[in-house]
């Protein structure tokens, strides 16, 4: 499945949300992830906002695309019991992440090495 | 990973053919051959070639690693090992070891380079971090007798500190215990990223934003980046970000996310199953969800399954079995999206039309949705001309349907206005402008369209009114100011023609208020001076005119512009100053730019309305234009000049241009045309048969090459003969060579549209629209360059009617395409 989320899921709004709701969620995300800190993420939020900012566009998003909003809600439901940073990861997981990082970094090769 | 060979470093200019072949093999990326050749060179010519051999080994190893053949790549790199164990391309070597699960060996190898100068600075920095990350993954080994004050000794001390801090976090120690351990890790060491990440992890429960900021210095190409991104994903506060983490994460990242979020075993399991199904494709996910349909959140499960159907349309019966039949609209929509996904545009169009038809029955509440679908159909029609060539017209039809359903969709209305204007559909243009203006009276784009329409309709007062409103909305817009000045000038022209110079002066005074001091408008100054000249004729007015012409460039073109304006104002006042001005300006030798700007000046609609006077103006510049014939024109460049000379019936000058052009390019078809136009003084009736055939052939080639302007010029010349002949004798022989040629061209154009295609159009769009589409196709063919639109429509209608008759008739033996008998 594509990792790109549909605009409803990106902004975390319902398919039946109105203008105000969409704007509120968008501004909350921009406050949490200001564009100067994470321009790429901001671009994603901005694109999602522009795709939903009025009734016609929301209809377009709903009718002409495969909306994954319901799927996202189901995933969220499964994640409902999550308590961020309430536990520690295992050593095996950390090692696996470090090995993954080493594999990516060494694959870049000598010509790609940055000072 | 690129397998390209980037930096051959030959030991010297190749001394032998073998050396040359080896270098060539490297250049061509044939590394296996290069290895063989370098081996041979080492045997025959000595160890000087060892470096070349090592380069070939490393290049081949990179090629193999790109194909995930890590073991072979590792062996090749080991062939390059020096006595101290250092290999060529050590990062690649570490990469191969890691990929093969030999973490300990990789860590030891990476450590070889720490504190040495074996690598270049950038590579050494990367290798240092790689060694640091690997040292945390592998068990600690006793390093024999390392001086603690040496660089390597200090590095190992940092490694121990990092390992200790990491262990403390894994054991669940609190902030207060971990923080002092972190301070022992230097921010200048290769373990800096460990310190930052652990600090972020212990800060996260207190301040997620601060935690995120802490990790900013860790570059995406760092070996610690995967850990950084996993922590960032777990830090995400909005729920949608959690979803991003689950969807996009790798296995270890997902595990990290689940673990630090304290998800239960069962929670992990359900999520795991969900994610597994999701990763296996839409069909699998659909199957997984449908099994859960009778559990909680059934509504979301139904919606999720529905959203998966376009990606797995074969599950439609299963969906209907579980959730009941889909509405006609939903079913058409699902099938349309599925067709789009497999790029079957015909099917997509058919299903979207069915979806629209089912919405049509629902009345006003469905209007917005209908508008969306018709706009989408228009987009499909415009974007995917793989289906039908006629889609331009289809797109317009869909846009019109969209606007009927959703009157207030401004972008659609503006698109249609632009289309009507381009196609000169005056009725539709005016009607839509008025309609949109009523809905959006303060919209700049609408006001601009209204200005254009009113000016075209000759209602200058209204155009000025719209422009005035536009200026109130956007006072510094230079394009609007320029348009407003032009409109006032047009009005002033009208007043002058009505013999009201006083009112004309008022208009020009109003226009002057819009002139920007830094960008004076020369046409406006010329108009003002001409009005003054018409009213008073004083020396001051003449001086003012000279000044305005000087502002416009002071050359022949500037004087021609002034003369034209004088003409358009009704030639009020003494024109002698203008004639003298043009004469004086012609003392400057002509250039291509000067002649072309004169041709452009006399090409406007207004100038065309005063053909005779303009022709006299052009003929007044004969000598100057004749001098211009010697310039190195191309046939393309000279086209506007030819049009001007032809319009002014200046055939002698045209002949001079053609003669010079043919001298430069004897095979230039268009120069030949220009010569014939000049020699016949524009009367094709006196041409011999061979010349007519030549011209028809040149026109056909031009039309086929897309040079429709050239083709039109030739056909209009040949048509002039026809007109004259028919005027003289209406009983002209219709089977003459010209008619035959035209007939051949028309037949060829018609033959490009098969009866099957027409039948398909009729089936899809009905008779009226099919006729329109066929006419559009003919317009774009060679026939379109020579026949008027009405004639093309007649042909199209006949073609459609014949096919309809054929469809109605029982099938017989294969016949010729009916319109080839024309």
């Amino acid at each position: 499945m594509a990792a790109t989320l549909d605009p409803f899921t990106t902004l975390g709004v319902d398919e039946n949300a109105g203008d105000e709701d969409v704007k509120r969620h968008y501004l909350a995300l921009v406050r949490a992830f200001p564009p100067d800190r994470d321009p790429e993420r901001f671009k994603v939020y901005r694109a999602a906002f522009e795709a939903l900012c009025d009734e016609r566009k929301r209809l377009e998003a709903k009718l002409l695309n495969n909306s994954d909003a319901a799927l996202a809600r189901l995933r969220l439901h499964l994640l409902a019991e999550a308590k961020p940073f309430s536990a520690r990861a295992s050593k095996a997981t950390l090692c696996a992440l470090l090995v993954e990082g080493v594999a990516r970094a060494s694959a870049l090769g000598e010509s790609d090495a940055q000072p | 990973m690129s397998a390209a060979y980037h930096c051959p470093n030959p030991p010297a200019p190749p001394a032998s053919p073998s050396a040359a072949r080896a270098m060539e093999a490297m250049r061509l990326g044939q590394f296996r051959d290069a290895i063989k050749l370098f081996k041979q060179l080492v045997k025959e010519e000595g160890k000087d070639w060892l470096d070349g051999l090592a380069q070939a080994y490393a290049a081949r190893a990179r090629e193999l690693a790109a194909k995930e053949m890590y073991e072979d790549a590792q062996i090749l790199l080991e062939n390059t090992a020096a006595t101290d164990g250092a290999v060529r391309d050590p990062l690649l070597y570490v990469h191969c070891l890691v990929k093969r699960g030999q973490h300990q060996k990789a860590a030891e190898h990476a450590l070889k380079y720490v504190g040495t100068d074996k690598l270049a600075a950038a590579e050494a920095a990367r290798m240092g971090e790689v060694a640091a990350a690997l040292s945390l993954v592998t068990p600690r080994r006793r390093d024999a007798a390392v001086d603690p004050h040496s660089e390597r000794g200090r590095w190992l001390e940092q490694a121990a500190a990092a390992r200790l801090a990491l262990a403390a976090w894994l054991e669940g120690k609190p902030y207060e215990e971990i923080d002092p351990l972190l301070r022992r890790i230097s921010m200048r060491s290769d373990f800096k990223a460990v310190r930052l990440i652990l600090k972020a992890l212990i800060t996260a429960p207190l301040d997620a934003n601060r935690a995120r900021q802490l990790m900013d210095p860790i570059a995406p190409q760092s070996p610690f980046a995967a850990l950084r991104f996993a922590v960032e994903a777990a830090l995400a506060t909005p729920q949608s970000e959690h979803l991003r983490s689950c969807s996009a994460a790798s296995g270890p990242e997902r595990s990290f996310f689940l673990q630090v979020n304290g998800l239960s075993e069962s929670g992990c399991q359900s999520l795991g199953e969900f994610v597994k199904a999701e990763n296996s494709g839409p069909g699998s996910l659909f199957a997984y969800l449908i099994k859960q349909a009778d559990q909680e959140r059934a509504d979301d499960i139904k919606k999720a399954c529905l959203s998966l159907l376009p990606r797995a349309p074969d599950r439609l019966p299963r969906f209907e079995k579980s959730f009941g039949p889909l509405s006609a609209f939903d079913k058409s929509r699902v099938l349309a999206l599925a067709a789009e996904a497999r790029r079957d545009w015909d099917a997509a169009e058919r299903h979207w039309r069915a979806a629209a038809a089912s919405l049509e029955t629902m009345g006003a509440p469905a209007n917005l949705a209908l508008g969306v679908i018709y706009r989408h159909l228009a987009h499909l029609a415009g974007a995917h001309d793989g289906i039908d060539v006629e889609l331009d017209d289809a797109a317009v039809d869909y846009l019109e349907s969209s606007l009927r359903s959703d009157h207030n969709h401004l972008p659609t209305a503006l698109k249609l206005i632009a289309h009507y204007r381009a196609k000169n559909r005056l009725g539709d243009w005016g009607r839509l402008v008025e309609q949109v203006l009523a809905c959006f009276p303060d919209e700049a784009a609408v006001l601009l369209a209204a200005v254009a329409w009113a000016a075209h309709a000759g209602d200058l007062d209204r155009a000025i009114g719209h422009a005035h409103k536009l200026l109130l909305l956007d006072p510094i817009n230079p394009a609007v100011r320029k348009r407003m000045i032009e409109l006032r000038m047009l009005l002033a022209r009208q007043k002058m023609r009505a013999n009201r110079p006083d009112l004309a002066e008022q208009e020009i005074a109003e226009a002057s208020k819009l002139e920007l001091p830094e960008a004076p408008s020369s046409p406006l100054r010329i108009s003002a001076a001409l009005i003054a000249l018409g009213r008073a004729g004083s020396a001051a007015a003449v001086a003012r005119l000279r000044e305005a012409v000087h502002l416009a460039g002071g050359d022949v073109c500037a004087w021609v512009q002034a003369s034209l304006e004088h003409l358009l104002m009704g030639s009020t006042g003494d024109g002698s100053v203008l004639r003298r001005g043009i004469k004086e300006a012609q003392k400057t030798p002509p250039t291509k730019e000067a002649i072309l700007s004169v041709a452009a000046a006399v090409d406007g609609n207004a100038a065309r309305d005063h053909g005779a006077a303009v022709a006299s103006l052009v003929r007044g510049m004969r000598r100057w234009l004749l001098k211009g014939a010697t310039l190195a024109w191309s046939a393309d460049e000279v086209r506007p000049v030819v049009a001007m000379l032809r319009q002014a019936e200046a055939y002698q000058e045209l002949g001079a241009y053609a003669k010079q052009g043919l001298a430069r390019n004897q095979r230039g078809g268009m120069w030949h045309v220009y010569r014939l136009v000049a020699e016949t003084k524009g009367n094709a009736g006196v041409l011999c048969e061979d010349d007519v055939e030549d011209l028809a052939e040149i026109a056909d080639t031009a039309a086929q090459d897309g040079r429709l302007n050239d083709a039109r010029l030739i056909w209009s010349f040949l048509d002039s003969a026809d007109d004259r002949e028919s005027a003289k004798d209406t009983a002209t022989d219709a089977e003459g060579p010209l008619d035959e040629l035209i007939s051949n061209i028309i037949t060829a154009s018609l033959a490009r549209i098969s009866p099957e295609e027409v039948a398909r159009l009729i089936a899809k769009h009905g008779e009226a629209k099919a006729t329109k589409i066929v006419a559009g196709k003919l317009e774009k063919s060679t026939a379109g360059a020579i026949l008027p639109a009405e004639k093309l429509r007649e042909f199209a209608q006949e073609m459609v009617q014949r096919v309809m008759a054929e469809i109605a008739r029982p099938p017989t033996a294969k016949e010729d395409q009916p319109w080839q008998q024309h």
Side-chain angles (χ1 to χ4, degrees):
Chain A
M1 299 284 283
T4 321
L5 300 175
D6 70 75
F8 292 102
T9 312
T10 302
L11 294 188
V13 294
D14 187 77
E15 291 110 312
N16 301 318
D19 289 358
E20 280 305 309
D21 213 15
V22 168
K23 196 169 177 181
R24 194 159 44 79
H25 276 77
Y26 166 66
L27 292 178
L29 285 169
V30 174
R31 267 197 298 277
F33 301 95
D36 53 335
R37 275 207 53 229
D38 195 341
E40 287 307 311
R41 195 188 290 248
F42 172 72
K43 272 187 211 163
V44 173
Y45 292 146
R46 182 74 206 169
F49 174 67
E50 277 170 12
L52 302 181
C53 62
D54 69 40
E55 199 183 353
R56 284 187 184 85
K57 288 186 175 170
R58 285 195 291 280
L59 255 178
E60 270 173 32
K62 270 200 283 190
L63 295 178
L64 308 180
N65 298 299
N66 297 313
S67 165
D68 284 336
L71 271 175
R73 281 197 296 275
L74 290 172
R75 253 190 247 120
L76 273 181
H77 174 66
L78 292 170
L79 284 168
E81 58 177 283
K83 294 182 192 72
F85 292 94
S86 58
R88 303 285 159 98
S90 69
K91 184 166 186 197
T93 302
L94 271 183
C95 288
L97 281 167
L98 287 171
V99 167
E100 197 174 283
V102 168
R104 280 186 212 161
S106 54
L108 293 170
E110 52 187 329
S111 56
D112 304 304
Q114 299 293 319
Chain B
M1 184 182 299
S2 162
Y5 176 69
H6 292 303
C7 48
N9 192 14
S16 64
S18 300
R21 277 165 53 211
M23 298 309 298
E24 181 65 2
M26 285 295 281
R27 197 181 63 76
L28 296 173
Q30 296 163 348
F31 303 125
R32 283 171 71 174
D33 294 343
I35 289 170
K36 277 184 203 159
L37 289 163
F38 276 121
K39 271 185 183 172
Q40 200 182 332
L41 279 166
V42 170
K43 264 189 201 166
E44 290 170 1
E45 296 183 20
K47 293 187 173 179
D48 279 355
W49 291 101
L50 277 175
D51 190 55
L53 180 60
Q55 280 194 33
Y57 274 133
R60 173 71 180 148
R62 188 155 281 278
E63 196 174 55
L64 291 172
K67 295 176 186 165
E68 301 191 357
M69 295 163 73
Y70 300 113
E71 188 176 358
D72 294 339
Q74 180 190 332
I75 292 167
L76 283 180
L77 288 170
E78 281 167 359
N79 286 340
T80 69
T83 47
D84 60 356
V87 298
R88 184 63 65 112
D89 203 345
L91 271 170
L92 177 63
Y93 185 59
V94 169
H95 180 73
C96 294
L97 290 171
V98 168
K99 282 290 188 182
R100 297 190 60 220
Q102 297 183 0
H103 301 152
Q104 185 69 44
K105 193 173 175 183
E108 283 168 13
H109 190 80
L111 197 56
K112 273 187 207 299
Y113 300 88
V114 169
T116 69
D117 56 0
K118 289 175 191 167
L119 300 175
E123 202 185 352
R126 171 82 60 81
M127 187 59 98
E129 275 204 304
V130 165
L134 285 170
S135 76
L136 299 174
V137 171
T138 53
R140 186 181 177 186
R141 291 180 66 163
R142 196 174 289 278
D143 205 341
V146 176
D147 176 4
H149 300 294
S150 67
E151 198 171 331
R152 176 182 279 249
R154 285 195 295 274
W155 194 92
L156 290 171
E157 193 186 315
Q158 289 291 307
R163 205 177 275 122
L164 203 63
L166 194 60
W169 184 79
L170 288 168
E171 286 162 18
K173 298 266 170 66
Y175 184 101
E176 297 74 28
E177 282 186 44
I178 298 172
D179 199 41
L181 296 175
L182 292 181
R183 280 191 225 123
R184 287 168 54 190
I185 304 171
S186 163
M187 285 296 281
R188 291 184 178 181
S189 74
D190 291 331
F191 294 88
K192 168 185 157 185
V194 182
R195 176 173 167 172
L196 293 172
I197 290 172
L198 287 175
K199 182 80 179 177
L201 281 167
I202 57 174
T203 309
L206 312 167
D207 184 348
N209 277 339
R210 169 83 187 121
R212 233 179 267 119
Q213 280 170 3
L214 278 167
M215 294 187 293
D216 278 351
I218 303 170
Q221 61 268 34
S222 159
F224 293 97
L227 182 54
R228 175 200 159 174
F229 293 137
V231 177
E232 278 198 343
L235 276 169
T237 38
Q239 289 186 317
S240 59
E241 287 300 315
H242 285 164
L243 300 176
R244 187 187 300 281
S245 312
C246 273
S247 303
S250 65
E253 281 174 348
R254 199 179 299 130
S255 300
F256 183 88
F257 178 82
L258 295 174
Q259 287 166 4
V260 298
N261 278 299
L263 283 162
S264 66
E265 278 297 312
S266 66
C268 269
Q269 197 184 343
S270 306
L271 197 59
E273 283 171 12
F274 186 96
V275 173
K276 192 177 162 196
E278 201 173 24
N279 289 341
S280 306
S284 303
L285 184 55
F286 182 92
Y288 169 79
L289 289 174
I290 213 117
K291 277 187 214 152
Q292 326 284 324
D294 50 351
Q295 295 183 6
E296 55 176 341
R297 307 190 72 82
D299 190 44
D300 273 341
I301 287 176
K302 183 182 172 184
K303 282 186 185 165
C305 287
L306 181 61
S307 78
L308 287 168
L309 279 180
R311 285 165 279 183
D314 55 323
R315 309 294 164 111
L316 194 56
R318 181 74 184 84
F319 181 93
E320 293 194 317
K321 192 177 164 195
S322 296
F323 300 109
L326 273 176
S327 70
F329 169 75
D330 278 334
K331 197 180 258 182
S332 301
R333 178 184 161 270
V334 163
L335 293 174
L337 287 173
E340 279 186 30
R342 58 174 193 274
R343 308 179 72 77
D344 181 353
W345 308 118
D346 265 336
E349 187 183 18
R350 196 171 62 247
H351 291 304
W352 279 124
R353 285 166 66 98
S358 59
L359 284 181
E360 297 271 12
T361 58
M362 293 166 68
N367 276 351
L368 279 188
L370 255 179
V372 166
I373 289 175
Y374 279 126
R375 281 197 294 280
H376 185 59
L377 276 165
H379 166 74
L380 287 181
H384 308 294
D385 55 3
I387 335 168
D388 290 315
V389 186
E390 76 278 8
L391 288 170
D392 283 351
D393 290 331
V396 171
D397 281 352
Y398 286 134
L399 284 179
E400 285 169 345
S401 300
S402 140
L403 205 59
R404 273 195 295 278
S405 310
D406 182 3
H407 315 284
N408 294 333
H409 194 255
L410 186 56
T412 303
L414 291 174
K415 220 181 264 183
L416 279 173
I417 287 173
H419 172 79
Y420 294 148
R421 185 179 174 185
K423 293 279 172 184
N424 217 17
R425 284 171 58 177
L426 300 184
D428 291 327
W429 179 13
R431 175 189 51 75
L432 193 52
V433 165
E434 296 303 339
Q435 188 181 315
V436 177
L437 196 58
C439 297
F440 303 95
D442 298 322
E443 191 67 45
V446 175
L447 287 167
L448 263 176
V451 170
W453 163 246
H456 184 87
D459 191 346
L460 293 180
D461 284 327
R462 191 134 191 255
I464 285 173
H466 294 316
H468 183 68
K469 201 166 174 186
L470 201 51
L471 270 178
L472 289 177
L473 291 173
D474 189 1
I476 53 168
N477 187 329
V480 179
R481 281 172 173 263
K482 188 167 173 256
R483 189 76 185 112
M484 186 69 153
I485 290 174
E486 284 166 3
L487 290 169
R488 293 271 180 207
M489 281 168 57
L490 284 176
L491 213 51
R493 216 180 262 171
Q494 275 186 0
K495 306 290 180 202
M496 283 296 281
R497 280 204 299 271
N499 208 15
R500 290 298 305 269
D502 53 328
L503 296 179
E505 212 158 37
Q506 276 177 23
E507 292 300 337
I508 293 297
E510 284 297 319
S512 301
K513 289 178 192 166
L514 297 166
E515 206 183 13
L516 294 170
E518 67 274 18
S521 161
S522 57
L524 178 63
R525 301 286 175 94
I526 287 174
S527 293
L530 287 171
I531 292 168
L533 194 68
R535 290 197 81 179
S538 63
V542 172
R544 201 172 157 190
L545 179 63
R546 284 190 175 278
E547 197 183 312
V549 172
H550 181 70
L551 184 65
D555 56 1
V556 177
C557 180
W559 281 105
V560 167
Q561 281 171 349
S563 305
L564 271 176
E565 190 57 40
H566 183 244
L567 207 63
L568 297 171
M569 283 181 172
S571 304
T572 317
D574 180 14
S576 61
V577 60
L578 292 162
R579 287 190 290 278
R580 279 201 305 278
I582 290 186
K583 202 171 172 187
E584 278 166 29
Q586 285 179 58
K587 286 176 187 164
T588 309
T591 61
K592 280 189 195 177
E593 292 73 26
I595 296 176
L596 284 172
S597 51
V598 169
V602 299
D603 188 42
N605 286 336
R608 269 198 294 268
D609 292 344
H610 296 75
V614 171
S616 142
L617 192 64
V618 172
R619 286 197 295 272
M621 297 183 284
R622 269 182 166 159
R623 282 191 191 161
W624 187 74
L625 289 170
L626 267 175
K627 280 185 205 163
T630 55
L631 298 167
W633 297 92
S634 72
D636 257 3
E637 279 175 331
V638 85
R639 194 184 300 115
V641 184
V642 170
M644 171 180 75
L645 296 176
R646 218 177 138 209
Q647 198 185 341
E649 298 186 353
Y651 294 113
Q652 189 191 339
E653 290 73 19
L654 179 54
Y657 276 78
K659 191 178 164 193
Q660 294 285 343
L662 281 168
R664 281 191 302 275
N665 179 9
Q666 289 184 346
R667 295 178 64 194
M670 286 311 291
W671 288 116
H672 182 57
V673 176
Y674 300 152
R675 181 179 63 83
L676 288 175
V677 174
E679 280 176 7
T680 59
K681 297 194 185 307
N683 177 13
V686 297
L687 284 172
C688 67
E689 204 170 293
D690 284 350
D691 282 340
V692 172
E693 275 188 31
D694 277 356
L695 287 180
E697 200 177 312
I698 295 169
D700 198 31
T701 311
Q704 277 169 14
D705 295 348
R707 291 179 288 116
L708 293 182
N709 285 335
D710 284 343
R712 281 200 192 100
L713 188 143
I714 300 170
W715 288 117
S716 73
F717 172 52
L718 291 174
D719 280 349
S720 68
D722 235 14
D723 295 345
R724 291 180 201 209
E725 285 301 308
S726 58
K728 272 192 266 173
D729 178 10
T730 49
T732 320
D733 182 7
E735 296 301 317
L738 176 59
D739 285 345
E740 199 180 316
L741 269 164
I742 293 174
S743 167
N744 287 343
I745 286 171
I746 293 168
T747 307
S749 298
L750 300 184
R752 285 184 189 169
I753 309 167
S754 67
E756 292 75 24
E757 195 180 348
V758 178
R760 193 166 56 80
L761 291 173
I762 295 167
K764 194 163 148 190
H765 302 291
E767 184 189 346
K769 196 168 158 202
T771 308
K772 201 169 156 190
I773 291 167
V774 172
K777 283 185 172 208
L778 287 175
E779 205 176 319
K780 286 175 197 159
S781 71
T782 316
I786 56 172
L787 288 179
E790 290 128 41
K791 195 72 193 162
L792 294 173
R793 267 197 297 278
E794 274 174 32
F795 275 127
Q797 201 165 13
E798 202 175 326
M799 287 161 81
V800 168
Q801 280 168 0
R802 284 189 187 206
V803 169
M804 287 180 72
E806 284 293 310
I807 293 168
R809 208 175 69 177
T812 57
K814 198 177 175 188
E815 292 172 345
D816 281 347
Q817 292 175 0
W819 39 87
Q820 283 193 347
Q821 295 154 15
H822 263 279

